[in-house]
Amino acid sequence: MTGAAERIERLTGQPVRELRAVGSQHRWAHYRAVLADGQTAFAKVAGAGLGGLFEAEARSLRWLGEAGAVGVPEVLGWDESTLVVSWVAAGRADAPAAARFGRELARMHRAGAPSFGAPWPGFIASLFLPNDELPAPAAPVARDPWPDWYTARRVLPYLRLAVDGGTLNSADAGLIESAAGRAADLAGPAEPPSRIHGDCWAGNVVWSGGSGWLIDPAAHGGHRETDLAMLALFGAPHLDRILGSYAQEWPLAPGWRQRVPLHQLHPLLVHVCLFGAAYREEALAAARAVLAA
């Protein structure tokens, strides 16, 4: 019996009948396990504790699932170094599945959130994700809180990390800071916090059972256009069908297409921090597009 199987058994309370390695990512290995009751599970197993990373993912999955809108894996157990969820069998993305996913995504967003951020420390991939609210202003202000929150909690932390790591230079930083400074002007009509996935690129959508299932979330209260911009970033299949059915379920504010680069600043900076200079030009191009809007 391997150490991974022992961890899965401890967290699920069931013996593991079969265990197969199915890859790895960041600092953990992936396993497919068949439990004693016949259920198939997916496990992430790290060599050491990850400081709350798996707790953040587990809480994100459960919170998204509470909306009762989009399919998400069931959380079967977690600790500092292991996460076990139900297995989602991957199928094929087709136009009807994309249309259904778009409607379900809109319903999940509409479930809302108490505030921007989340009541747990977040992670995106292997990076810490600040989820705390901004300090209350000394005097009430009649402005949309999202642009300031997005700039302070999603753009600037990763810009600093990229500069400190030597991937971006001071000129790059100045360009991106200027773009972030336009967030309040370009954000569109104020909306209440939506219940968003937070890392909704195409690879975190598993097509199964005639719709998309969401995996690997960095969930929080955010702007719903962020999830849609991330789907566009690396080319979700049948994106036009997803967006069309989404808009039928919950129309987007005018000008949303022009705001896509603003929402893509954060994930592109995350990629710069994770993967280096390969994403530098894309991040700078998004910043230029924001400034040109």
Side-chain angles (χ1 to χ4, degrees), residues 122-204:
F123 286 83
I124 185 163
S126 58
L127 300 178
F128 181 70
L129 184 72
N131 273 337
D132 48 316
E133 298 182 59
L134 294 182
V141 292
R143 62 180 284 177
D144 180 6
W146 178 78
D148 290 341
W149 183 87
Y150 177 71
T151 298
R153 298 292 184 256
R154 291 295 179 265
V155 177
L156 296 184
Y158 301 95
L159 176 58
R160 287 192 291 268
L161 188 61
V163 171
D164 290 346
T167 309
L168 297 182
N169 59 40
S170 59
D172 299 337
L175 177 66
I176 292 171
E177 286 172 347
S178 295
R182 294 207 62 203
D185 298 328
L186 301 178
E191 294 191 357
S194 292
R195 186 171 306 216
I196 73 169
H197 178 283
D199 191 14
C200 198
W201 72 286
N204 284 342

Side-chain angles (χ1 to χ4, degrees), residues 8 22 25 28-33 40-44 57 73-74 76 83-88 215-216:
I8 295 167
V22 290
Q25 187 180 34
W28 49 86
H30 294 168
Y31 293 91
R32 180 183 184 275
T40 304
F42 174 75
K44 297 180 178 182
E57 182 172 343
E74 177 189 2
L76 303 179
L83 173 68
V84 188
V85 301
S86 59
W87 180 270
V88 179
I215 62 170
D216 295 351

Side-chain angles (χ1 to χ4, degrees), residues 5-259:
E6 292 170 353
R7 295 196 207 178
I8 295 167
E9 290 184 350
R10 176 171 49 81
L11 291 171
T12 64
Q14 292 195 57
V16 172
R17 288 193 340 211
E18 300 175 22
L19 184 69
R20 177 164 56 92
V22 290
S24 62
Q25 187 180 34
H26 304 299
R27 291 176 284 165
W28 49 86
H30 294 168
Y31 293 91
R32 180 183 184 275
V34 179
L35 306 180
D37 66 357
Q39 182 176 15
T40 304
F42 174 75
K44 297 180 178 182
V45 179
L50 299 178
L53 189 151
F54 287 151
E55 178 180 0
E57 182 172 343
R59 294 182 69 174
S60 290
L61 285 169
R62 287 180 171 173
W63 186 61
L64 295 180
E66 287 170 5
V70 181
V72 298
E74 177 189 2
V75 177
L76 303 179
W78 80 86
D79 60 19
E80 282 290 293
S81 59
T82 308
L83 173 68
V84 188
V85 301
S86 59
W87 180 270
V88 179
R92 188 172 67 90
D94 56 24
R100 178 179 169 186
F101 175 64
R103 292 190 297 271
E104 292 173 343
L105 187 64
R107 292 169 191 157
M108 184 188 80
H109 287 166
R110 189 173 255 162
S115 61
F116 293 109
W120 56 82
F123 286 83
I124 185 163
S126 58
L127 300 178
F128 181 70
L129 184 72
N131 273 337
D132 48 316
E133 298 182 59
L134 294 182
V141 292
R143 62 180 284 177
D144 180 6
W146 178 78
D148 290 341
W149 183 87
Y150 177 71
T151 298
R153 298 292 184 256
R154 291 295 179 265
V155 177
L156 296 184
Y158 301 95
L159 176 58
R160 287 192 291 268
L161 188 61
V163 171
D164 290 346
T167 309
L168 297 182
N169 59 40
S170 59
D172 299 337
L175 177 66
I176 292 171
E177 286 172 347
S178 295
R182 294 207 62 203
D185 298 328
L186 301 178
E191 294 191 357
S194 292
R195 186 171 306 216
I196 73 169
H197 178 283
D199 191 14
C200 198
W201 72 286
N204 284 342
V205 181
V206 176
W207 297 95
S208 183
S211 186
W213 285 61
L214 295 177
I215 62 170
D216 295 351
H220 60 277
H223 199 299
R224 60 194 179 118
E225 291 177 12
T226 296
D227 275 353
L228 301 180
M230 292 189 75
L231 285 171
L233 187 56
F234 300 116
H238 303 284
L239 182 60
D240 287 346
R241 291 298 294 269
I242 295 172
L243 296 174
S245 63
Y246 184 104
Q248 290 176 354
E249 183 71 27
W250 190 10
L252 293 159
W256 67 269
R257 291 186 186 274
Q258 286 67 48
R259 294 188 288 273

